[in-house]
Amino acid sequence: MTHDRDGAKPYLTQIGNLIRDSRRHRGWTQAQLATAVSTSQSAINRIEHGNQNLSMEMLSRISEALDSGIVSLGQAAPTHLRVTGGRTLSGSISVKTSKNAGVALLCASLLNAGRTTLRKVARIEEVNRILEVLDSIGVRTRWLNDDNDLEVVPPKKLDLAAIDVEAARRTRSIIMMLGPLIHHQDSFELPYAGGCALGTRTVEPHMAALRPFGLEVKAAAGRYRAEVDRAVRPQRPIVLTERGDTVTENALMAAARRDGVTVIRNASPNYMVQDLCFFLGELGVRIEGVGTTTLTVHGVDRIDRDIDYSPSEDPIEAMSLISAAIVTSSEITVRRVPIEFLEIELALLEEMGLDYDRTAEYAAANERTRLVDLTVRPSTLRAPIDKIHPMPFPGLNIDNLPFFALIAATAQGSTLIHDWVYENRALYLTELTKLGAKVTLLDPHRVYVEGPTHWSGAEVICPPALRPAVVVLLAMLAAKGTSVLRNVYVINRGYEQLADRLNQLGAEIGTFRDI
């Protein structure tokens, strides 16, 4: 057995490096990780330096604490991507249906006693986790065909005591089950929500939105304990303190099966909320004000319908594909783009000098969302005069902001990116420096990007936040030489076969595993 010069065994050093990088990506100290896995800081220090033997139990605990998939007992090893960059892309690609709409509609299917069929659902890890949760509580789900049509049939009574805790903790979307579940049981428990590591995303706005429906939630021992008083009903319009997408969806699902009229103010009019409103309309729930910040919900006390619904395309995936064309100086046609939710982004890109064409609008399969096809051509971009910052719809989408850090790195000049929503996401954008970009972190919410960038290959551990992770992958497409992106589970949470689809445009991305 060979050893490193400090006496550590090579495989322990490799594992230690993975743990150290994953911990840093999460923004934890060694002491915080030690507390999470019930060991000492000195033990974590030895582990990270490869100087301590590791049991599979400890590895599994560390992996779960960091949500990094360093090891998963009984499951496949983490997946990595090897990218040969510097290739020009070409061809056309169609946008998949919305991840965020898909998970919302799966939660909303709990409102329906009948059969729900959802068409062309994004077959991603986030959806898989929700399906595992639904299956565990007695809901029958099955994929119908290769088009990703999905059937959901509820039981007469949900078995919430049997909920798949591990699956629930791996998705933040579990919080959206509060709204529909208050119609099922007077008391129940849900595991803490997980998902992306984007700082402290408080659940209090959800509680405030659902309290007028009689829901009280206490957090204890890693679970939300919910009690429902059915005598309590909204006495006046519900004013959301945060115009959040999932908060609005929770309030909508709570109102949908409360007989009578509920008014929700400061509601999000974003794409996934609109899809949920259209879906609830198919269930017989009349909603006025769709696409605005005031929703009036005419609820019904029982829903029992066999319905068929097609969620619309994902504007964030569309932005990802547009960014791939920009960063690789390629001509790509992106089909089925939900234009209503990308108009601000495209207007800003036009100001920066983007050369593109778009077709006339046509209807999505839900017959409501407006789509276009976009052809993006190689362009010389210049930095915008003002800072780039997100706003609630119809402003620049919060999830699209990271792509503008990548785009700014290709542009001539300096750009200030202000991510005021998340505490830590701006930090993850500095990963682009490993590939040659000049990204300076000013504070937890702002980065300064100087371009243009001469990209170069590197090995990077995937940031634990979905959009920054994809931004790093897209930068690797432009980087000369070979790059490695390690542990891409977070990308698979939100994108369906992204590497394979980019390869169809001429990228060279291979998948591999180790450890």
Side-chain angles (χ1 to χ4, degrees), residues 87-91 321-333 349 352-357 374-382 407 410:
R87 298 171 65 92
T88 300
L89 309 182
S90 63
L321 299 171
I322 292 167
S323 302
I326 292 172
V327 74
T328 60
S329 297
S330 301
E331 180 169 325
I332 297 174
T333 296
L349 288 171
M352 295 176 70
L354 182 66
D355 179 15
Y356 78 98
D357 289 327
L374 295 178
T375 298
V376 181
R377 287 184 284 272
S379 310
T380 301
L381 301 184
R382 57 188 176 275
I407 292 167
T410 72

Side-chain angles (χ1 to χ4, degrees), residues 419 422 424-430 441 443-447:
D419 190 348
Y422 297 110
N424 292 331
R425 194 168 66 174
L427 170 66
Y428 302 138
L429 297 175
T430 62
L441 183 70
D443 57 46
H445 294 278
R446 297 181 303 153
V447 293

